[in-house]
Amino acid sequence: MTHWLIAPIILPAMLAPFIVLAARRHIGIQRAFSVAGVVTLIVIAAGLAWGSSDGTIMLYQLGDWAAPFGIVLVGDRLSTMMVLLTAVLALFVLLYAIGSGWDDRGRHFHALFQFQLMGIMGAFLTGDLFNLFVFFEVLLIASYGLMIHAGGNARLRAGVQYVLFNLIGSTLFLFALGSIYAETGTLNMADLANRVALISPDETVGIRVAAVLLLLVFAIKAAVVPLHFWLPSSYAEAPAPVAALFAIMTKVGAYAIIRVYTMIFPPDLEVTAGLHDVWLLPAALVSVAIGMVGVLAAKRLDRLVAFSVIGSMGMVMISISLFSPDGIAAALYYIVHSTLAGAALFLISDLVRTGRADLNLTPQPPVAGAALTAGLFFAGAIAMAGLPPLSGFLGKLLVLDAAFETDHMIWIWVIVLSSSLISILGFARAGSVVFWKAASLGSPEEAPVMQRPATMSYIAVGGLISLLVANTVFAGQVHSYTTTMAAQLFAPEPYISTVVETPGKLSKPVEGH
């Protein structure tokens, strides 16, 4: 049992109250501890990812109590990769928040940021469905506080909408957990995989209802159409660093679908056959179409980026809905890409906001620093639209290749390719209005005096773009790793046996008996 597995949860959980209690009036101390904590988190996450890279299943039993009675954390290739991705993203988002001054525009930004990381890390590492629900609630509470950071009526309205929609998801999650426990007597995922497989075909009503409810919950978190209505306003109105961090939150829903529907309810399981793989693909295709049409129709740059996130999640869900090793491998590669690209675009939109009166897609006078901002926007746009040479193009090729021999190949290819063209038009329109048409209105010296983005803000965005370039250059190695990850997911026996068979305090004989 490795104690390092709980460190990504414990570290931010301890930092958050420390920042509130000991440094709430000293923004410099808050920044120092927050950055130091995230850097430490990256080191720990990298160590965990390295430790699981050979296929090792790492297990931590809280209180040394064995599953299914005790709480367990499990680290395999998938969960540790997501933890590392979150930690790396958090560093660049945090640097941007500090450089732009967003963290000083309201109270308790850094404490809420750490609580948010705690919830995300816990969701990726937990081996228990009930604790997945608990970490979802931690996410919800912390994200609401971050959403309304710095105040504003529009931001508050979007925050209320976000909370209400996610509370519906939380309620459905509780119903699903109740149904599962009533049918199986356990909520540990590894133990569930064993017990669900033993349910006879004529006693499947309760477990089928639970499987559908879980899929609805995770689809809400992933913003899959028609459960996506909360995302455009919420992400567009949130402070830019918060929206950039939220780029990983939709991936929590995708991660949960991959984990639950490859281990507990795998595609070949008779009792739940035809429940999740029948309607998930159509919903994913519609998500791609609506997301990219939203990109073309958006009247504000921040809403354009929000709709592009919906479209990118549609791409991820298309690949997941194939429920094949090639499809899951492609989805995991695209998850890394879309997280980095979405976060970068939210931060770039804030760079634009710094030098303009607003983010309306209307010609306005140019501002100082427009050339560098335009270059970053160009890189982020071609990444999100899926144009070569960046990793979005390679990711879409992987998704199309995974779908090539399926019955729905024509639908997938037509919608993916046509939506890519629409997104190109949408990003080109936005870029031309914000940067090219602005040049015809005069020189930056003649424009109203606006604040120039800070150097650290450019460094943070440049770091995310650099990671996109690295994801492209090392695409072969990354895809090879996601392929081994998918193979591990479709052969969950080592995961199950490690969790269920590892002895703990409960399984040891009590002295004197």
Side-chain angles (χ1 to χ4, degrees), residues 87-169:
V88 172
L89 174 66
L91 177 62
F92 290 107
V93 170
L94 192 57
L95 290 177
Y96 186 93
I98 294 171
S100 61
W102 265 111
D103 63 330
D104 200 24
R105 300 183 194 181
R107 296 170 61 85
H108 307 308
F109 176 87
H110 290 282
L112 290 169
F113 191 88
Q114 295 298 324
F115 274 128
Q116 183 83 348
L117 291 180
M118 171 195 168
I120 296 173
M121 299 301 187
F124 289 142
L125 290 173
T126 184
D128 184 279
L129 281 180
F130 182 78
N131 287 288
L132 181 62
F133 166 78
V134 171
F135 286 118
F136 273 10
E137 295 311 294
V138 174
L139 283 178
L140 179 61
I141 295 169
S143 60
Y144 179 68
L146 288 172
M147 266 205 65
I148 62 174
H149 180 75
N153 291 333
R155 191 167 293 150
L156 183 59
R157 284 196 302 270
V160 171
Q161 176 186 350
Y162 167 81
V163 169
L164 289 177
F165 215 95
N166 279 273
L167 283 177
I168 295 173

Side-chain angles (χ1 to χ4, degrees), residues 7 20 55 58 71 149 154 161 167 208 244 272 275 280 289 297-298 315 329 354 356-358 437 441 463 507:
V20 171
M58 295 181 286
I71 298 172
H149 180 75
Q161 176 186 350
L167 283 177
R208 288 171 70 87
T272 56
L275 289 182
L280 187 57
M315 283 295 303
T354 305
R356 284 167 57 99
D358 53 48
K437 289 186 178 180
L441 300 180
S507 59

Side-chain angles (χ1 to χ4, degrees), residues 221-479:
K221 300 296 182 183
V224 177
V225 174
L227 305 172
H228 69 293
F229 296 106
W230 60 271
L231 190 146
S233 295
S234 300
Y235 280 36
E237 296 297 340
V242 175
L245 182 63
F246 282 8
I248 194 68
M249 284 179 56
T250 49
K251 310 309 184 297
V252 175
Y255 165 86
I257 291 176
I258 293 173
R259 176 69 72 193
V260 170
Y261 292 93
T262 57
M263 182 165 62
I264 302 175
F265 307 116
D268 58 350
L269 184 66
E270 183 180 356
V271 298
T272 56
L275 289 182
H276 47 275
D277 53 351
V278 171
W279 73 270
L280 187 57
L281 178 59
L285 292 172
V286 176
S287 297
V288 172
I290 288 183
M292 295 315 172
V293 170
V295 168
L296 183 61
K299 296 181 180 179
R300 289 174 52 89
L301 185 59
D302 48 5
R303 288 187 68 86
L304 179 148
V305 179
F307 275 105
S308 73
V309 170
I310 295 175
S312 69
M313 281 307 301
M315 283 295 303
V316 170
M317 299 311 297
I318 286 174
S319 198
I320 291 175
S321 66
L322 301 176
F323 285 104
S324 66
D326 288 341
I328 297 298
L332 295 174
Y333 181 86
Y334 202 85
I335 281 174
V336 176
H337 157 78
S338 61
T339 300
L340 298 174
L345 283 172
F346 277 118
L347 298 183
I348 292 167
S349 68
D350 193 60
L351 292 177
V352 174
R353 189 199 308 269
T354 305
R356 284 167 57 99
D358 53 48
L359 287 179
N360 292 333
L361 294 179
T362 55
Q364 297 181 22
V367 295
L372 181 54
T373 304
L376 293 172
F377 177 82
F378 177 74
I382 65 173
M384 185 61 84
L387 287 174
L390 292 182
S391 52
F393 176 71
L394 300 176
K396 287 189 176 181
L397 283 182
L398 292 173
V399 174
L400 294 176
D401 182 63
F404 187 74
E405 295 183 356
T406 66
D407 297 335
H408 307 289
M409 184 267 288
I410 294 178
W411 282 103
I412 294 173
W413 278 56
V414 168
I415 292 180
V416 169
L417 294 177
S418 59
S419 64
S420 297
L421 176 60
I422 293 173
S423 68
I424 292 170
L425 296 176
F427 279 109
R429 177 182 70 94
S432 64
V433 169
V434 173
F435 300 107
W436 181 61
K437 289 186 178 180
S440 64
L441 300 180
S443 63
E445 290 75 14
E446 300 170 349
V449 178
M450 304 292 286
Q451 180 183 358
R452 183 186 180 90
T455 301
M456 188 181 292
S457 299
Y458 281 118
I459 292 174
V461 178
L464 290 173
I465 298 297
S466 299
L467 290 176
L468 284 171
V469 173
N471 195 37
T472 306
V473 174
F474 299 102
Q477 293 88 333
V478 175
H479 182 245

